[in-house]
Amino acid sequence: MQKDEIKARVKKVIAQVLGIDESEINDEANFIFDLGADSRQSLELVAAFEEEFDIEMDEDKALEVQTVSDAVDFIAQILV
Amino acid sequence: MKGLSASKTDHLHKIFYPESVAIVGANRVPGTVPYDILINILRSDFQGAVFPVNPRERAIGGVKTYKYVLDIPDPIDLAVLVYPSSVCHMALQQCGEKGIKSVIIISAGFREIGGVGIEREQKLIEIARKHDISFIGPNCLGVINTDPAVQLNASFAREMPENGNIGFLSQSGALCTAVLDYAQAKHIGFSKFISFGNKADVNEIDLLYYLGKDPKTRVILIYLEEISNGQALMKAAREIIAETGKPILAIKSGRTEAGASAAASHTGSLAGSDDICDAAMRQAGIIRCRSIEEMFNTAIAFAYQPLPENNRVAIITNAGGPGVLTTDASIQEGLRLAKFSDDTTAMFKKTLPKTANIKNPVDVIGDARADRYNIALSQAFKDPNVDGVFVILTPQSMTDIETIAREVVTVAGRFDKPIFASFMGEKDVAAGIDILQRNKIPHYTLPESMAQAFAATYRFKQRLTNPEKPFAPFTDVDKNLANKLLQEAKKEGKTYLSEFEASKILAAYGLPVVESRIVKSAREAEANADEVGYPLVMKVMSDDVVHKSDFQGVVLNVKSKEEAAKVFDRILQNVRKHQPEAEIDGVLMRKMIPAGEEVILGVKKDVAFGSVVMFGMGGIFVEVIKDVAFRVAPLGKEQSLKMIKEIKGAPLLFGMRNRPERDVDALEESLQRLSQLATDCPQIKELDINPLIVLEKGKGCFIADARIII
């Protein structure tokens, strides 16, 4: 899967979980600081990414991912 | 009192007196810290403007929200960071860009978790330095200022405490909530309430200085879990007490003795970190408390009442037993029962019932009502021989408890002497106690606590009235020689300096060493004996044999050169038998010091407080008896004398029964000189002078053995 496709789907998931418009999500946006995710939503994001990409993520490592572009790289690595 | 720089003072002032506050990372989830902090500020009737910051919410708690702190159009005096630790640095960076100089970081997940937390905390420190920000925390409960001019509860404590004149500082956030709850039940008010957490930037010393200067704070309380800079703490305490007269009460938890067991000297093994902390606090004038209860019992004494001029107390009670209990407790605490003036005695005789005890403790009898308490209290206050009054009440069927409580308040308000109360019991006296507490009459469940608290105020007053003179260094010391000898030993790879080597260093500081020689053979011993003089003491010199007398490596009372030669061989045989691998440098010969009182003087380098001096009764049983006292070096004449008097064995030095008075002046000078050596040569890790033999008054004292560990 190409990175652009991963990015588009990542943004779609973030918009759904956080209830915001996709257009508000920059590549370098920080989930907490820029998008306002709280700790419950951070866990929901991890679960939603797993479902969207049909993958399993190490929860501790996944929660260390802070920005949209980091999430894209993290998922891309798993999909390789 | 310098203490804080002008900019730090200004930054701290804005933490407590902000006109605008940003809650950075606030959310709208009740029961979470980011939400509760915002709501606490809004509910505390804060007089300034509040700006929540959250990237997604339009408003929280009805207050307009901003995405970033940079988006707030108004200037911000104080930012309270409540974001998760992973993004706190981003928020602090924006605070810096906005020009905010005062910040509280509530969030946890920093140094206290190790690893990545340490890196995160370091990042905060770097950003703060770059932007000249002062911040409290991270990992703290927050800050409360009850001053009606601001009314700020920037914390996640459940309730705002009552306004008062006690400033409270705590390293533990959780303890703060317990303290607030305890204080609320007793109507104890606070001026400032500060949880400082990891103290990554603003630390307890800064806050002590701030409270020292705060006109709303009369008493300072501090709870500490670690002391990172003991010398700075002592300096701050001394300055604050001397310049403002404000008492500092402290609880220091964590009384670990780890490290003491690995020590290579008597002093090292005796000087536990808690003993040193205890001594250092006392030396600096800090009143150390063992529990929260003791701390507040003492705090209210200082916060509510004037200091007593002296220690003569009048006890007014309506029952004999509690009067006796209070008398016992008072004497135990070093107080005296006031001897009433003739006027007072005549007045009591005239106005109190015939069955009343008109001598101190005054028993106004079980049927006493408010009028009788009034007479007794008023007269006791008026008596020039009385420095303070203890009023005791037991609930009897005719006791009008609440009226008496109100009478106590009224009478106390007419006099400028302290009054302390103990309404004994629980249920029946509760309403009376409530009246006392609301009207700032210190109340104690037990007479013992009452006497203890009064004694603390009396000792503090004495310290203020008779401040100690600062240490005056001796000028006849050779600091260069001592340092040179220590450096040479270090170059040679030595960590242990024997008596012979230690003596040279001690002599450089005018400490009373006796000339000695080291001989390498029986023949040399025989040849030197006459010149050293009889009777001789001979002892093995070996870096491997630390406690020489354990292996019969010391022989006393050698009276001829022939005997000296024989003793030389015997000492070597003894040591080789018990410690065959020991490397022996020779045998030291010295003229024996006449019999006297054996004491130990020592030095230990403490991680928190620096060089510490120890004094105690000496000899080989020192670690068993443990009759020792400590002080942080350097120490002047008064502290040296206090130290000598502090140990249980002190009467042996001041003369008792058939034992003569010893040369305490010489001993006290040795302590001062040793403390100067310890201060000038911080490379000394441990030092023992054991024993120092103290001769009769006027005849001096002499070092019989010594060792230094570097």
Side-chain angles (χ1 to χ4, degrees):
Chain A
M1 199 182 296
Q2 292 296 309
K3 272 207 174 173
D4 281 350
E5 189 191 338
I6 299 174
K7 191 191 288 178
R9 286 167 67 180
V10 162
K11 286 188 177 178
K12 187 189 78 183
V13 169
I14 295 168
Q16 276 170 1
V17 172
L18 300 184
I20 51 177
D21 199 292
E22 264 185 65
S23 63
E24 290 176 37
I25 307 169
N26 297 327
D27 291 359
E28 292 311 315
N30 181 293
F31 293 121
I32 300 165
F33 192 68
D34 300 306
L35 304 178
D38 59 30
S39 53
R40 178 183 54 82
Q41 288 166 327
S42 296
L43 288 170
E44 281 175 13
L45 275 172
V46 173
F49 288 143
E50 286 181 335
E51 198 182 322
E52 173 69 24
F53 294 99
D54 194 22
I55 55 174
E56 272 194 32
M57 295 161 83
D58 179 302
E59 193 174 286
D60 288 343
K61 282 187 181 163
L63 287 172
E64 281 172 22
V65 172
Q66 297 225 0
T67 64
V68 176
S69 61
D70 286 350
V72 173
D73 292 342
F74 188 73
I75 292 165
Q77 265 183 3
I78 298 172
L79 290 173
V80 169
Chain B
M1 181 167 62
K2 287 178 189 166
L4 291 173
S5 66
S7 71
K8 197 100 179 170
T9 305
D10 185 50
H11 297 175
L12 285 179
H13 188 71
K14 285 214 165 94
I15 288 181
F16 297 103
Y17 290 87
E19 289 183 11
S20 51
V21 182
I23 315 302
V24 186
N27 69 25
R28 55 190 315 153
V29 186
T32 64
V33 170
Y35 177 83
D36 285 359
I37 294 257
L38 172 63
I39 297 303
N40 281 348
I41 292 179
L42 295 175
R43 281 190 192 150
S44 63
D45 207 16
F46 174 56
Q47 302 293 303
V50 182
F51 300 90
V53 173
N54 180 293
R56 275 172 48 210
E57 307 295 348
R58 286 188 56 217
I60 306 173
V63 184
K64 178 178 159 50
T65 303
Y66 294 84
K67 184 169 184 181
Y68 299 114
V69 77
L70 288 168
D71 297 339
I72 302 170
D74 296 45
I76 298 294
D77 284 343
L78 168 67
V80 183
L81 270 51
V82 285
Y83 265 130
S85 59
S86 59
V87 297
C88 272
H89 64 286
M90 298 167 82
L92 191 64
Q93 173 64 28
Q94 286 201 347
C95 289
E97 287 167 23
K98 172 110 180 120
I100 301 170
K101 301 294 181 193
S102 308
V103 175
I104 302 168
I105 305 177
I106 303 283
S107 321
F110 292 92
R111 180 166 63 100
E112 76 282 6
I113 62 161
V116 68
I118 297 172
E119 289 168 28
R120 285 174 184 157
E121 191 161 305
Q122 192 52 39
K123 221 182 261 181
L124 296 180
I125 295 167
E126 282 161 20
I127 295 167
R129 283 205 186 126
K130 189 176 157 204
H131 294 280
D132 185 29
I133 293 170
S134 297
F135 71 89
I136 289 183
N139 185 29
C140 68
L141 183 91
V143 157
I144 297 173
N145 181 5
T146 63
D147 189 334
V150 275
Q151 289 271 58
L152 176 71
N153 179 7
S155 81
F156 57 96
R158 290 165 76 95
E159 302 221 21
M160 182 94 160
E162 288 179 27
N163 179 232
N165 55 12
I166 297 174
F168 186 84
L169 299 169
S170 176
Q171 196 168 356
S172 156
L175 188 95
C176 286
T177 59
V179 161
L180 281 172
D181 195 46
Y182 178 92
Q184 203 151 26
K186 294 179 184 296
H187 301 292
I188 297 172
F190 294 94
S191 54
K192 310 282 182 297
F193 200 91
I194 308 150
S195 151
F196 55 83
N198 291 6
K199 50 178 177 170
D201 178 43
V202 174
N203 60 28
E204 70 274 30
I205 313 290
D206 301 325
L207 292 164
L208 275 175
Y209 277 120
Y210 182 80
L211 292 183
K213 285 184 178 167
D214 177 29
K216 304 284 180 187
T217 300
R218 180 164 156 180
V219 183
I220 302 171
L221 312 189
I222 181 163
Y223 170 82
L224 288 166
E225 286 172 348
E226 56 170 7
I227 294 174
S228 32
N229 189 345
Q231 294 271 0
L233 177 70
M234 289 177 74
K235 182 172 176 282
R238 279 190 172 121
E239 287 178 5
I240 291 165
I241 294 166
E243 291 180 34
T244 70
K246 294 182 187 180
I248 301 171
L249 280 54
I251 291 186
K252 161 71 180 68
S253 64
R255 296 178 183 173
T256 173
E257 295 300 318
S261 57
S265 66
H266 293 297
T267 309
S269 65
L270 282 163
S273 58
D274 195 57
D275 298 316
I276 291 171
C277 178
D278 218 38
M281 284 193 176
R282 203 170 330 128
Q283 211 172 333
I286 298 172
I287 300 164
R288 190 173 182 190
C289 305
R290 302 278 157 185
S291 66
I292 297 288
E293 192 173 7
E294 186 190 331
M295 181 185 245
F296 279 100
N297 277 340
T298 316
I300 56 173
F302 282 108
Y304 298 169
Q305 296 292 306
L307 293 175
E309 286 302 319
N310 213 320
N311 64 347
R312 299 164 304 175
V313 291
I315 300 169
I316 312 292
T317 172
N318 67 345
V324 177
L325 273 177
T326 311
T327 303
D328 286 349
S330 301
I331 304 299
Q332 185 93 25
E333 290 294 335
L335 305 177
R336 289 180 291 162
L337 287 202
K339 195 170 179 300
F340 293 134
S341 66
D342 293 344
D343 282 356
T344 301
T345 307
M347 172 72 169
F348 285 162
K349 206 178 268 182
K350 195 171 118 190
T351 51
L352 295 180
K354 286 207 162 38
T355 49
N357 178 21
I358 58 166
K359 284 185 179 163
N360 203 2
V362 180
D363 185 351
V364 291
I365 309 296
D367 62 351
R369 298 180 71 84
D371 56 339
R372 208 181 290 160
Y373 266 99
N374 180 328
I375 292 166
L377 287 173
S378 300
Q379 189 57 40
F381 269 126
K382 278 182 209 161
D383 193 318
N385 297 338
V386 173
D387 301 305
V389 178
F390 289 165
V391 56
I392 295 156
L393 176 147
T394 54
Q396 304 184 31
S397 59
M398 40 305 211
T399 315
D400 48 350
I401 299 165
E402 288 160 63
T403 317
I404 292 171
R406 275 189 284 273
E407 205 61 50
V408 169
V409 173
T410 309
V411 175
R414 298 208 311 264
F415 299 92
D416 195 28
K417 286 181 185 176
I419 181 166
F420 291 43
S422 181
F423 280 21
M424 298 175 78
E426 185 92 36
K427 184 172 151 282
D428 286 352
V429 291
I433 292 171
D434 192 68
I435 291 168
L436 296 172
Q437 287 171 336
R438 283 178 189 277
N439 288 282
K440 311 300 176 205
I441 302 292
H443 177 268
Y444 302 90
T445 312
L446 302 172
E448 290 83 353
S449 311
M450 182 164 67
Q452 201 178 15
F454 187 94
T457 61
Y458 162 66
R459 284 193 296 266
F460 187 73
K461 171 73 180 178
Q462 293 300 302
R463 187 184 172 97
L464 291 183
T465 318
N466 310 301
E468 276 175 10
K469 290 186 196 89
F471 173 66
F474 293 91
T475 50
D476 60 343
V477 301
D478 194 341
K479 184 178 171 180
N480 292 337
L481 175 63
N483 272 305
K484 189 174 151 244
L485 292 167
L486 287 163
Q487 271 165 15
E488 279 172 7
K490 200 174 180 185
K491 261 189 205 159
E492 288 167 27
K494 283 188 178 175
T495 55
Y496 170 85
L497 276 68
S498 67
E499 179 187 357
F500 189 69
E501 295 156 315
S503 291
K504 291 179 193 167
I505 293 164
L506 296 170
Y509 272 72
L511 283 148
V513 295
V514 180
E515 197 209 327
S516 57
R517 294 179 188 187
I518 289 181
V519 292
K520 308 259 183 189
S521 65
R523 187 179 291 176
E524 266 185 50
E526 192 174 350
N528 280 275
D530 282 352
E531 280 182 36
V532 175
Y534 302 105
L536 281 167
V537 59
M538 294 175 68
K539 56 176 97 173
V540 65
M541 283 292 103
S542 166
D543 291 352
D544 302 323
V545 184
V546 178
H547 299 296
K548 301 173 195 88
S549 58
D550 290 357
F551 303 134
Q552 292 152 317
V554 183
V555 176
L556 307 174
N557 215 18
V558 179
K559 287 179 180 153
S560 68
K561 58 185 178 182
E562 293 79 15
E563 195 184 347
K566 281 179 195 162
V567 165
F568 181 94
D569 289 336
R570 197 163 83 225
I571 287 175
L572 258 59
Q573 273 170 19
N574 288 340
V575 174
R576 284 195 177 125
K577 188 175 156 196
H578 291 97
Q579 215 173 321
E581 75 288 356
E583 205 167 295
I584 297 167
D585 300 327
V587 168
L588 180 137
M589 297 171 74
R590 177 170 48 70
K591 192 176 173 184
M592 264 182 76
I593 300 159
E597 213 61 69
E598 291 192 0
V599 298
I600 179 171
L601 272 59
V603 171
K604 188 192 175 186
K605 188 84 180 285
D606 181 71
V607 185
F609 290 98
S611 298
V612 174
V613 174
M614 184 186 84
F615 167 72
M617 296 313 288
I620 56 170
F621 300 123
V622 63
E623 275 152 66
V624 179
I625 299 164
K626 288 184 180 167
D627 187 16
V628 288
F630 301 94
R631 290 291 186 281
V632 176
L635 52 137
K637 196 176 170 68
E638 289 153 303
Q639 277 295 341
S640 301
L641 201 58
K642 272 189 188 169
M643 201 177 175
I644 294 167
K645 288 181 176 170
E646 197 173 297
I647 63 163
K648 291 190 192 88
L652 295 172
L653 295 163
F654 290 91
M656 59 176 291
R657 299 222 162 154
N658 296 327
R659 299 172 83 98
E661 187 182 349
R662 301 290 167 177
D663 201 336
V664 176
D665 289 345
L667 169 59
E668 168 264 297
E669 185 182 322
S670 289
L671 273 168
Q672 286 192 70
R673 286 180 179 276
L674 181 65
S675 80
Q676 188 172 343
L677 168 65
T679 312
D680 290 348
C681 304
Q683 61 270 56
I684 295 175
K685 280 187 189 156
E686 291 174 31
L687 183 155
D688 268 354
I689 296 174
N690 185 32
L692 175 87
I693 297 177
V694 190
L695 305 182
E696 282 178 39
K697 192 173 174 62
K699 293 186 177 171
C701 56
F702 295 97
I703 295 168
D705 197 1
R707 70 181 67 124
I708 295 176
I709 289 138
I710 51 172

